Amino acid sequence: PGELRRRDRAVTATDFQELALATPGAQVGRAECLTLFHPPTKSSPRAGVVSVAVWPKEDPKHPNAPLPSRDLLRDVCSWLDKRRLVTTELYVIPPVYRKVAVSVGLQVKPGYGAGAVRQWVELVLRQYLAPLPPYGPSGTGWPLGRRVHGPELEAAALQVEGVEFLEGLNVAGLNAETGEWVPGTVNLNAWEVPELAEISVVQPALAATLTVM
């Protein structure tokens, strides 16, 4: 249906996204179209500009923040360029990440291995914040511009079997200018997704016991 609708032409945001994913020979794992977004200036909306952010299907060097190669960007750009309107100013760009850190304190239900439950919670949070399908809140990767909010992550962590309750979940975002972690909800720009740079999952009571011993 999509091919019949667009007739191999990129006009709407959906057209650009679907065509980018269908680039022949390219291993595109995700594509997002940002209309009116001008990457060089990140300025106010500019008429006639279409930017397409592209993720590779995998990036072993940067598993938490996959980045496309120059060849991948060039292939997608060439494919889309032949199908855009003459009046469209096209940019094919890598994703922009904002580093975030998460720390979790939890209590494990009796009869469950504390180590295994902590590992599962960490895995669930890593997948929940991941940029590539089939992960993310809806299975399509973390949405562009969606804030990283502690209570939302708490709800994800509580779904892990064996978690009795959380004693706290803290989120912080890295200030790129100062290099300092800023605690609290991380508000992202419309062209950003989070990169989970640090995560810590502990059982406070157990940690206190080990310290005393």
Side-chain angles (χ1 to χ4, degrees), residues 22-43:
T23 302
Q27 298 295 309
V28 179
R30 178 183 174 186
E32 295 287 347
C33 183
L34 297 115
T35 56
L36 309 181
F37 174 65
H38 187 242
T41 61
K42 297 182 175 62
S43 60

Side-chain angles (χ1 to χ4, degrees), residues 54-76:
V54 173
W55 287 257
K57 285 188 175 180
E58 59 180 358
D59 182 357
K61 292 183 179 180
H62 310 97
N64 290 335
L67 291 170
S69 65
R70 289 182 179 272
D71 289 340
L72 178 58
L73 292 175
R74 185 165 46 247
D75 290 345
V76 174

Side-chain angles (χ1 to χ4, degrees), residues 41-115:
T41 61
K42 297 182 175 62
S43 60
S44 57
R46 181 176 297 191
V49 173
V50 173
S51 296
V52 180
V54 173
W55 287 257
K57 285 188 175 180
E58 59 180 358
D59 182 357
K61 292 183 179 180
H62 310 97
N64 290 335
L67 291 170
S69 65
R70 289 182 179 272
D71 289 340
L72 178 58
L73 292 175
R74 185 165 46 247
D75 290 345
V76 174
C77 187
S78 177
W79 178 252
L80 294 178
D81 186 54
K82 298 173 184 177
R83 290 156 178 81
R84 66 178 175 87
L85 298 178
V86 175
T87 54
T88 300
E89 183 179 352
L90 173 66
Y91 294 88
V92 177
I93 59 176
V96 178
Y97 291 96
R98 176 86 64 86
K99 291 182 182 293
V100 300
V102 178
S103 63
V104 186
L106 57 81
Q107 284 298 327
V108 177
K109 292 179 180 179
Y112 288 85

Side-chain angles (χ1 to χ4, degrees), residues 81-177:
D81 186 54
K82 298 173 184 177
R83 290 156 178 81
R84 66 178 175 87
L85 298 178
V86 175
T87 54
T88 300
E89 183 179 352
L90 173 66
Y91 294 88
V92 177
I93 59 176
V96 178
Y97 291 96
R98 176 86 64 86
K99 291 182 182 293
V100 300
V102 178
S103 63
V104 186
L106 57 81
Q107 284 298 327
V108 177
K109 292 179 180 179
Y112 288 85
V117 172
R118 292 198 304 270
Q119 290 178 0
W120 273 111
V121 170
E122 179 177 339
L123 178 61
V124 164
L125 292 177
R126 286 186 180 278
Q127 293 180 344
Y128 197 78
L129 289 163
L132 289 176
Y135 305 119
S138 301
T140 56
W142 190 270
L144 286 174
R146 177 166 171 167
R147 66 178 182 174
V148 181
H149 191 43
E152 181 180 357
L153 301 185
E154 289 179 7
L158 286 169
Q159 295 178 14
V160 176
E161 186 176 358
V163 174
E164 187 165 19
F165 59 86
L166 298 184
E167 294 198 357
L169 187 149
N170 298 310
V171 176
L174 184 66
N175 186 315
E177 296 182 357

